[in-house]
Amino acid sequence: MNSKRELLQKLLKGIETGDAEAAAVVNEEKYIQHNPQTHEGSEGLATLFARLSKTNPKVKFVRVFEDGEFAFAHNEYDFAEVKAAFEVFRFEDSKAVEHWDNIQPLRGPNASGRGMLDGPTEITDIDRTEQNRELVDNFSQTVLIDRKTERMKAFVDANLIQHDPDGVDGIDAYRMVLEARSDAELIVQYHRVHRVLAEGNFVLCMSEGASHGKHTSFYDLFRVADGVIVEQWGTMETIAPRSEWKNDNGKF
């Protein structure tokens, strides 16, 4: 039996090949699609794969994880333009039944020389998965949602490695991003954490908020070591207006 990690990779490789059989990983009767720009169901995926394959797309899996009924990946896509992406699938009986994603054009390196996808990929500290999940969940609620940035040092290493294309390394720079304002309004606002997924030393936080006043989804991947967040990757994606959605399930 294929692992959820393997099933995710088989499914998404269909973007490259255009093979409709890749969509067979999906349970057509139960599938819930949370990408507002994609039609629901495996037929929608097959149509999408066929269209994308004509542009000679490439799918590169940088990091792939499993967490209970979920598998999630940190990918590089090259179709029309190069993008960084997070893909999340929920499985039942070895079939994908729900899907979320967050995709951003690939930029960088940033001022600290970091790319959006480079850095460690090895999954370690499996026995600390739940402690690391709790740490990131608490950080997200306390610092990102409640905006108690003065408490960052309890969660984040002073020498945080930052992969945001507009960011630089260090906790102070991260705090400045979270506190930055334009016309008295916070530029980046986290309103709600929807899901926190984890495997070992990696934790993915799926959040909703606003950036420059626009409804935005934030996916933040954190690497944890010795009880603190030491590295961060992320994607931000503007959520399309409801009138443009191709399904009724919502981004989250």
Side-chain angles (χ1 to χ4, degrees):
M1 180 180 295
N2 291 331
S3 68
K4 297 177 185 67
R5 195 190 320 266
E6 292 169 331
L7 290 170
L8 178 152
Q9 291 173 291
K10 177 181 179 180
L11 173 58
L12 292 179
K13 269 297 178 180
I15 295 173
E16 272 191 7
T17 64
D19 184 1
E21 288 299 316
V25 172
V26 169
N27 183 328
E28 182 177 359
E29 296 180 357
K30 292 186 176 182
Y31 192 65
I32 302 170
Q33 173 62 261
H34 290 279
N35 183 328
Q37 300 303 310
T38 301
H39 292 288
E40 195 164 23
S42 59
E43 181 178 359
L45 283 176
T47 301
L48 175 66
F49 292 170
R51 176 171 59 81
L52 291 176
S53 68
K54 296 176 181 178
T55 67
N56 192 31
K58 300 298 179 185
V59 179
K60 178 181 179 182
F61 297 98
V62 180
R63 300 171 182 87
V64 186
F65 309 97
E66 286 192 42
D67 180 8
E69 61 185 349
F70 295 92
F72 57 107
H74 195 195
N75 291 350
E76 177 181 301
Y77 290 146
D78 185 354
F79 40 93
E81 65 176 319
V82 182
K83 297 184 178 183
F86 287 101
E87 300 279 0
V88 179
F89 289 90
R90 183 172 66 85
F91 289 85
E92 291 180 2
D93 300 322
S94 298
K95 293 284 188 178
V97 295
E98 199 161 7
H99 169 247
W100 302 258
D101 63 13
N102 215 52
I103 303 174
Q104 179 179 337
L106 192 71
R107 296 171 48 221
N110 63 22
S112 294
R114 315 287 184 189
M116 290 181 69
L117 292 160
D118 60 7
T121 60
E122 182 183 3
I123 301 168
T124 63
D125 300 332
I126 295 296
D127 60 327
R128 295 189 60 84
T129 295
E130 293 311 316
Q131 293 97 311
N132 292 340
R133 188 200 312 273
E134 183 178 7
L135 171 76
V136 170
D137 194 10
N138 289 339
F139 165 75
S140 299
Q141 294 293 336
T142 302
V143 177
L144 300 182
I145 304 298
D146 297 338
R147 304 188 182 101
K148 296 178 180 178
T149 54
E150 72 279 3
R151 295 190 57 189
M152 286 185 71
K153 290 183 180 179
F155 303 98
V156 180
D157 186 77
N159 299 310
L160 175 72
I161 300 169
Q162 181 58 258
H163 293 270
D164 186 315
D166 295 315
V168 295
D169 289 352
I171 190 175
D172 292 337
Y174 189 21
R175 179 171 178 172
M176 288 177 64
V177 169
L178 296 176
E179 294 178 346
R181 294 177 179 269
S182 176
D183 297 326
E185 183 178 56
L186 287 166
I187 294 174
V188 174
Q189 300 178 47
Y190 284 76
H191 297 157
R192 181 182 176 186
V193 175
H194 286 269
R195 181 167 281 106
V196 181
L197 300 173
E199 184 178 16
N201 55 328
F202 287 95
V203 184
L204 177 66
C205 189
M206 302 162 58
S207 306
E208 182 177 4
S211 176
H212 295 276
K214 295 181 178 180
H215 191 196
T216 300
S217 55
F218 301 95
Y219 278 41
D220 294 292
L221 180 66
F222 299 98
R223 183 171 65 86
V224 179
D226 300 321
V228 292
I229 294 167
V230 298
E231 195 160 4
Q232 180 186 12
W233 300 259
T235 59
M236 295 191 304
E237 187 174 8
T238 300
I239 299 175
R242 178 68 183 84
S243 60
E244 298 178 10
W245 292 6
K246 296 178 181 178
N247 64 66
D248 297 321
N249 301 315
K251 181 71 174 179
F252 294 96

